[in-house]
Amino acid sequence: MKKILSFSVVAAVVAALALTSCAPQATGPKKIVIGASLPTQREAVWVKGRQAMIAAAAAAGVELKVLSADADAAQQANQVESLLSQGIQALILAPADATTAASMADKAAAAKVPVVSYDRLILDTKNIALYVSFDNEKVGELQGEWLTKAVPKGNYIIMSGDPGDNNAKLFKAGAMKIIQPLVDKGDIKIVADQAVANWLPSNALTIVEQALTANKNKVNAILAPNDGTAGGAIQALNEQKLAGKVAVTGQDAEIAGLKRIMAGTQGMTVFKDNRKEADASVQAAIALAQGQPVASITYDGVSANQTVNNGTFDVPSLLLTPEAITKANIQDVVKSGYVKATDLQ
Ligand code: BGC
């Protein structure tokens, strides 16, 4: 994985540019500068998102400064301050922690910098111009629909993502919309229900190991919120020779997840083409930096005509559509160019 520029390198480059700025300059419109702060580069979705943002900015002829926070909210706060001090005209922010990020959005607003909340919603602030994401409740519904079809009756382990990520709540709400009625009917029994701190596969592994032990391996289905946590769950199943016998969901169309679908140890994943999400965010950030109204922003035929409540207000939202992937339609991911056919061999 390519390491992104550390703050000190960025600062050094900025200082060097400042020194050369004494030289005579061509006159012309000033280049738009966009800042972006991503929560992590651990999952491939964030790596691909970053690459797509860089490509989108280059294509649009704007400057993009993109940093990643190693899942650390304090580090992200410092990075956002640094970006703001560098005179960015719009901020794309995917929070490491949804509520801590409110103060970052507020600082951006104080500096008159519009904020695009990217993939994950920033909670408890009015200072978000636009939320660009997927229909995250739908992601959960796709997981719940596949899982209840695969296992209409039986013992379920329910895992949700990191509690500091608002998406985790939306994914779970969507999945439970489908699963809960079958629990109420008595067909499904939930034998464990736990959040996976920090989305860490190792935490998912422990949760599933413990649930298997507590239930003498009598588990039929596992709701895993993404491919990383599905990987941890399947490792725990493997230890008990149960991999392939217990239905497991996922999300992200990661190569490892797609390979497990081919091997039959994971049943499904959810494909969110985050190249589009990243591209849409950069386009939106440019429009906002130019002072265009949110209502005028559209991407790929989708407009910002939806809202998602963040605890303070209904945030204007541009939501892309996720797709459920099983062995039957795995080629959709290849055809889109998101992964190569050779990646799956
Ligand atoms: C993203 C998922 C990702 C997870 C862990 C969520 O906010 O929507 O795609 O797997 O974070 O990084």
Side-chain angles (χ1 to χ4, degrees), residues 221-274:
I222 301 177
L223 178 73
N226 72 350
D227 287 348
T229 52
I234 290 163
Q235 201 180 322
L237 291 173
N238 222 2
E239 287 163 4
Q240 301 300 318
K241 311 240 174 319
L242 288 173
K245 294 182 185 146
V246 175
V248 183
T249 60
Q251 169 182 193
D252 287 344
E254 281 189 2
I255 291 169
L258 295 169
K259 281 186 162 170
R260 287 190 297 263
I261 291 177
M262 301 287 281
T265 54
Q266 183 175 326
M268 65 89 74
T269 187
V270 179
F271 177 34
K272 303 183 302 186
D273 193 338
N274 60 301

Side-chain angles (χ1 to χ4, degrees), residues 39-103:
T40 174
Q41 290 285 283
R42 195 181 49 230
E43 289 85 9
V45 284
W46 301 108
V47 177
K48 280 181 185 283
R50 178 177 173 274
Q51 287 165 347
M53 281 183 193
I54 292 170
V62 302
E63 187 180 341
L64 175 75
K65 297 171 188 290
V66 53
L67 302 172
S68 168
D70 291 330
D72 178 344
Q75 192 176 325
Q76 187 161 47
N78 289 336
Q79 290 182 345
V80 168
E81 282 202 23
S82 141
L83 289 169
L84 290 171
S85 74
Q86 292 173 54
I88 56 170
Q89 286 140 280
L91 173 68
I92 299 171
L93 177 57
D97 179 84
T99 36
T100 315
S103 65

Side-chain angles (χ1 to χ4, degrees), residues 106-127:
D106 296 347
K107 279 188 185 149
K112 301 209 167 15
V113 172
V115 175
V116 174
S117 190
Y118 172 73
D119 192 76
R120 299 177 174 177
L121 187 58
I122 305 161
L123 298 179
D124 301 340
T125 172
K126 61 178 186 334
N127 293 314

Side-chain angles (χ1 to χ4, degrees), residues 185-202:
K185 225 173 120 188
D187 288 352
I188 287 173
K189 185 174 169 213
I190 295 176
V191 297
D193 185 346
Q194 283 190 52
V196 182
N198 239 329
W199 291 97
L200 278 178
S202 54

